[in-house]
Amino acid sequence: KAGVTQTPRYLIKTRGQQVTLSCSPISGHRSVSWYQQTPGQGLQFLFEYFSETQRNKGNFPGRFSGRQFSNSRSEMNVSTLELGDSALYLCASSFTGGWGETQYFGPGTRLLVL
Amino acid sequence: EDKVVQSPLSLVVHEGDTVTLNCSYEVTNFRSLLWYKQEKKAPTFLFMLTSSGIEKKSGRLSSILDKKELFSILNITATQTGDSAIYLCAVPLLTNAGGTSYGKLTFGQGTILTVHP
């Protein structure tokens, strides 16, 4: 069974631009969560989607948004990029996102904002 | 505020050594704790510990959960260079009402383990 895939793997943008990252969950998984990983803050939860609905959101500004499609694939968008948005963005999938389930992570998208 | 704290933040050992990584937590409505290993990019799942399963073992890795003292340890015996990685512990959060806060893991800062030959 294929794992979680993320595209693109690497991205370089300049301040003020916007970016869209994509995540395809493991087949059969309907919950997709997004995390931002930086050396200073570690792994921080961005938001979670299930059945095309955002169920949970972390403490990030409104510039960070996402959506989920009917096939469970998810995208996240960051508008008006800032230098501090440089990070590894990870998505994770699970069957329903419940507390007893393991979340499986994708390889991440490394975003560099210049 | 819910909090997960790992120690040490970094550790350097030689092959064959035994290491113990610590994870303490302060969360409301605790249900489970997860350990992940992150080598290049994707964190890979190691263990999940719950009230009904407070000790797990897989090969040279083992983990225990102390619900009374609110901590977990990850033990690696006979370390190998391939064990070099960041080890993360995480706790899924529940809402104050006791419902599940779906898909929301709170992570510790991670322990960077370096194993020299």
Side-chain angles (χ1 to χ4, degrees):
Chain A
K1 187 185 267 191
V4 179
T5 58
Q6 292 186 245
T7 57
R9 295 292 306 278
Y10 303 92
L11 208 47
I12 300 175
K13 293 284 187 179
T14 56
R15 278 181 299 174
Q17 288 186 308
Q18 75 164 24
V19 66
T20 299
L21 313 181
S22 180
C23 171
S24 292
I26 291 171
S27 178
H29 285 190
R30 295 166 62 193
S31 168
V32 174
S33 299
W34 288 89
Y35 296 85
Q36 181 196 65
Q37 187 176 29
T38 59
Q41 300 296 321
L43 262 159
Q44 292 186 293
F45 174 79
L46 280 157
F47 29 65
E48 187 256 357
Y49 286 87
F50 179 80
S51 290
E52 302 176 65
T53 301
Q54 185 183 90
R55 289 195 299 196
N56 220 333
K57 192 175 190 304
N59 297 322
F60 279 82
R63 299 184 297 107
F64 292 82
S65 62
R67 60 178 175 167
Q68 187 181 35
F69 302 95
S70 58
N71 62 358
S72 295
R73 188 177 71 85
S74 177
E75 290 181 346
M76 68 163 280
N77 185 77
V78 188
S79 61
T80 319
L81 284 166
E82 300 177 358
L83 295 179
D85 297 332
S86 295
L88 179 66
Y89 290 89
L90 293 160
C91 81
S93 76
S94 64
F95 284 107
T96 66
W99 72 268
E101 295 179 5
T102 300
Q103 291 187 30
Y104 295 91
F105 284 83
T109 294
R110 173 76 65 184
L111 172 65
L112 178 62
V113 182
L114 302 175
Chain B
E1 184 181 326
D2 298 310
K3 189 165 60 172
V4 179
V5 177
Q6 292 185 246
S7 64
L9 294 182
S10 66
L11 195 52
V12 180
V13 300
H14 287 92
E15 273 191 320
D17 288 348
T18 293
V19 298
T20 299
L21 311 182
N22 303 288
C23 176
S24 64
Y25 58 91
E26 291 179 31
V27 299
T28 54
N29 299 312
F30 174 83
R31 301 288 285 274
S32 62
L33 183 146
L34 295 86
W35 284 97
Y36 286 87
K37 176 183 180 183
Q38 186 177 24
E39 291 179 85
K40 299 284 187 188
K41 292 288 170 59
T44 54
F45 172 75
L46 293 174
F47 299 118
M48 175 186 284
L49 299 152
T50 66
S51 303
S52 57
I54 60 173
E55 185 171 354
K56 291 284 177 74
K57 184 174 170 62
S58 175
R60 296 178 295 103
L61 276 65
S62 62
S63 183
I64 64 169
L65 176 71
D66 187 323
K67 279 198 68 181
K68 182 179 177 184
E69 301 297 331
L70 307 183
F71 76 88
S72 174
I73 65 168
L74 176 68
N75 211 55
I76 308 175
T77 59
T79 52
Q80 302 169 358
T81 54
D83 295 326
S84 296
I86 301 173
Y87 290 85
L88 299 158
C89 77
V91 175
L93 296 188
L94 301 181
T95 63
N96 289 333
T100 300
S101 189
Y102 293 102
K104 184 174 184 176
L105 293 176
T106 291
F107 282 86
Q109 317 95 301
T111 294
I112 303 172
L113 175 64
T114 303
V115 182
H116 288 310

